[in-house]
Amino acid sequence: MGTAIYALAAALAIALSTIGPAIGQGLTAAKAMEAIARQPEAAGTIRTNMIVALAMMEALTIYGLVIAFMIVGKL
């Protein structure tokens, strides 16, 4: 019984920490493409800022993965 709870907790840690950043990354990329379409001359700056923002969002997912590994380590 205890093993199943740890497995469920690890699965939830990964699932919940992936959903938010995935939605945020999709919205960020969409808005960046709109901004580049409106101002093509600022594409370099927009792209750089978008990549930094995506990297920070991806860090949230990696934190969830680390927590899932910590939970699985208790098995």
Side-chain angles (χ1 to χ4, degrees):
M1 178 69 178
T3 306
I5 291 175
Y6 285 131
L8 182 61
L12 283 173
I14 292 200
L16 295 177
S17 69
T18 304
I19 291 171
I23 293 170
Q25 287 177 346
L27 292 173
T28 300
K31 295 298 181 180
M33 293 301 132
E34 288 177 18
I36 290 172
R38 276 186 268 124
Q39 285 188 306
E41 67 276 0
T45 304
I46 294 168
R47 186 180 309 112
T48 302
N49 290 336
M50 180 190 70
I51 289 171
V52 169
L54 291 176
M56 293 198 183
M57 284 183 245
E58 193 64 30
L60 296 173
T61 303
I62 292 169
Y63 293 150
L65 180 65
V66 167
I67 291 191
F69 280 145
M70 290 170 62
I71 293 171
V72 170
K74 292 199 178 276
L75 290 179

